[in-house]
Amino acid sequence: MKHLSVLIKPASALCNIRCTYCFYADISSLRDVRSFGRMNAETAEKMIENIYCDLEAGDRLTLTFQGGEPTLAGLAYFKQIVSLIQRQAKQVQVEYCLQTNGMIINEQWCVFLKENQFLVGLSIDGYSAFHDRYRLDPKGRGTFQRVLKTKQLFDDYKINYNVLCVLTDALADEPEKIFQFIVEQKIEYIQFIPCLDELEAQTKSDYALSPRSFAYFYKRLLELWLDYLGHKNYVSIKLFDDLLNLLVNHQTTACGILGNCQIQYVIEADGSVYPCDFYVLDKYRLGYIQHQTLRELFEQDLSKLFVSEKPVTSSYCRSCPFFKMCRGGCKRMKDAIYVNEQEEFCGYQEVLKSFVPKIPAILAMLKEAAR
């Protein structure tokens, strides 16, 4: 039995808000075609057909819809996808995920998401002062209150969701406030996404995360999280979960955590296919899902070359006690998380130094909390 995970951009780079730090707006601006619009019905049908070519009965398939803003493809598009899946002859276990800014979610959407057991990632950057600093609508207005209404809808409909929080440099200074927000809003699952600078940036932006900020945030967050666990309450913080899965369960649950690129099957709205969400660029286009299966596309030399590219590591990195575990980490996140420009500090190393010795205590508290 195998598990195939596919990331689909049904509305390409289209979005109904204008986040200052949006990495996909940056990536798409570097292409000959910024946005491929919305995926049409014919492309969607051929996409599902060719994805299933590489599957056998008993396999698992995860379809994750991302953007831009994927809900701009329309509810009818998602109903078509579910219908296409249901018409497939092979008995495959299918899981649906949707990452959204929450701006157009209403009760009709919630009924659909609940009925089809979607796991939803909802973007919220903490309190309004943080969220509204960068997550603005086209008129320059903050979106925090509208997103909180969507969160309330998800709670009312008991939709399975987690919160996606972009960890900017400013946000990293406020771990106490962020954890307080998590507790107040009764958030059970949260993922902090390191805020990246533009791919071809010449100077550092004010929002891009730095290794020192990354380390400060997570080391303090770890303390707050452990104290909370001690009261038999559980909050899932994705990085901590990923580290426990890696170091205790020997499972890789995060792309790039071992410093080796893994193939991400990324499909744009026009059917073009790419090896990684960070590199949906013309030079990495492998072909089109309408014409080939994913296996055929990823057996090409370009795909193999992408996977074989390693992050550039310094002597500081190679002398790290965690080097065999990390090997330089994700090449796209190197400036935000890992070794700084002076090559005398690594944010990820600092976090591991704090986290690893606490693993026995964490496991004990998790066991106690589960009783």
Side-chain angles (χ1 to χ4, degrees):
M1 183 184 78
K2 63 178 176 291
H3 180 201
L4 183 64
S5 184
V6 182
L7 192 154
I8 302 166
K9 295 182 174 291
S12 191
L14 300 176
C15 195
N16 49 4
I17 64 174
R18 302 291 181 267
C19 299
T20 309
Y21 52 55
C22 179
F23 88 89
Y24 205 67
D26 171 48
I27 290 295
S28 60
S29 72
L30 301 175
R31 303 188 303 218
D32 288 341
V33 177
R34 189 191 72 82
S35 176
F36 299 108
R38 295 171 175 83
M39 184 178 288
N40 61 41
E42 182 181 356
T43 300
E45 184 170 0
K46 195 63 179 177
M47 173 182 70
I48 297 302
E49 178 184 328
N50 278 348
I51 287 174
Y52 265 74
C53 285
D54 295 327
L55 295 169
E56 303 295 338
D59 288 344
R60 288 175 57 211
L61 171 64
T62 299
L63 298 179
T64 299
F65 300 91
Q66 196 186 65
E69 173 50 39
T71 59
L72 294 181
L75 187 53
Y77 167 85
F78 289 91
K79 289 181 177 179
Q80 180 203 9
I81 293 292
V82 171
S83 177
L84 289 169
I85 292 292
Q86 291 171 344
R87 282 164 27 198
Q88 301 303 310
K90 295 176 184 176
Q91 296 301 307
V92 173
Q93 180 184 341
V94 181
E95 300 162 352
Y96 300 106
C97 302
L98 171 70
Q99 296 185 10
T100 179
N101 58 33
M103 295 297 289
I104 65 172
I105 297 293
N106 55 23
E107 294 200 16
Q108 189 178 9
W109 272 98
C110 287
V111 169
F112 170 80
L113 296 171
K114 182 64 176 179
E115 285 180 349
N116 294 283
Q117 298 182 333
F118 271 68
L119 170 62
V120 182
L122 179 64
S123 294
I124 313 177
D125 286 357
Y127 292 112
S128 59
F130 304 122
H131 183 99
D132 288 344
R133 181 172 179 177
Y134 296 116
R135 302 188 67 84
L136 307 172
D137 70 11
K139 294 184 179 180
R141 299 171 301 190
T143 59
F144 178 75
Q145 292 301 328
R146 281 171 279 183
V147 177
L148 271 198
K149 289 180 180 178
T150 294
K151 179 186 178 298
Q152 186 59 55
L153 277 176
F154 288 166
D155 289 331
D156 293 343
Y157 277 85
K158 295 180 170 55
I159 288 170
N160 190 13
Y161 74 95
N162 56 45
V163 168
L164 307 175
C165 179
V166 177
L167 186 60
T168 61
D169 209 53
L171 198 67
D173 284 338
E174 305 289 352
E176 291 86 1
K177 290 182 180 178
I178 294 303
F179 199 79
Q180 182 181 2
F181 177 79
I182 292 170
V183 174
E184 287 179 1
Q185 291 295 323
K186 299 179 180 178
I187 295 169
E188 296 180 353
Y189 300 91
I190 188 164
Q191 177 180 356
F192 294 100
I193 303 170
C195 188
L196 305 178
D197 226 329
E198 295 177 356
L199 188 61
E200 298 181 355
Q202 300 299 312
T203 57
K204 188 177 183 300
S205 66
D206 66 343
Y207 51 75
L209 190 64
S210 68
R212 288 191 181 277
S213 296
F214 172 83
Y216 172 79
F217 177 81
Y218 269 110
K219 288 172 70 174
R220 180 61 181 135
L221 191 70
L222 178 61
E223 295 173 351
L224 298 166
W225 183 68
L226 287 173
D227 182 63
Y228 198 67
L229 284 181
H231 293 86
K232 296 188 178 181
N233 295 297
Y234 185 70
V235 173
S236 169
I237 295 174
K238 180 112 181 9
L239 178 61
F240 298 159
D241 288 349
D242 289 335
L243 290 174
L244 288 173
N245 281 324
L246 180 65
L247 299 171
V248 178
N249 302 324
H250 307 293
Q251 298 174 347
T252 303
T253 53
C255 183
I257 198 168
L258 294 177
N260 297 317
C261 279
Q262 302 171 353
I263 286 296
Q264 286 183 299
Y265 301 102
V266 182
I267 303 177
E268 255 285 6
D270 65 339
S272 53
V273 181
Y274 306 82
C276 176
D277 192 31
F278 288 141
Y279 295 95
V280 184
L281 299 165
D282 295 337
K283 68 177 182 178
Y284 290 115
R285 185 185 300 119
L286 300 172
Y288 293 84
I289 193 64
Q290 303 95 307
H291 307 142
Q292 294 174 279
T293 68
L294 288 174
R295 179 176 294 175
E296 291 169 343
L297 288 164
F298 281 86
E299 284 179 346
Q300 299 177 73
D301 290 341
L302 179 57
S303 177
K304 295 173 184 176
L305 178 63
F306 179 83
V307 171
S308 66
E309 292 176 351
K310 305 292 183 183
V312 178
T313 56
S314 65
S315 58
Y316 180 87
C317 188
R318 291 189 294 273
S319 65
C320 173
F322 304 106
F323 181 68
K324 289 184 178 180
M325 166 187 158
C326 165
R327 296 194 179 278
C330 171
K331 61 187 177 185
R332 182 63 179 95
M333 293 191 183
K334 60 183 178 64
D335 295 331
I337 294 178
Y338 304 104
V339 181
N340 62 5
E341 291 183 7
Q342 295 76 29
E343 297 188 357
E344 43 78 35
F345 181 88
C346 174
Y348 192 55
Q349 180 191 95
E350 287 296 305
V351 172
L352 290 176
K353 285 180 179 178
S354 294
F355 186 87
V356 171
K358 293 183 174 65
I359 288 178
I362 294 171
L363 294 177
M365 282 189 279
L366 291 176
K367 184 177 180 180
E368 180 67 21
R371 289 181 179 176

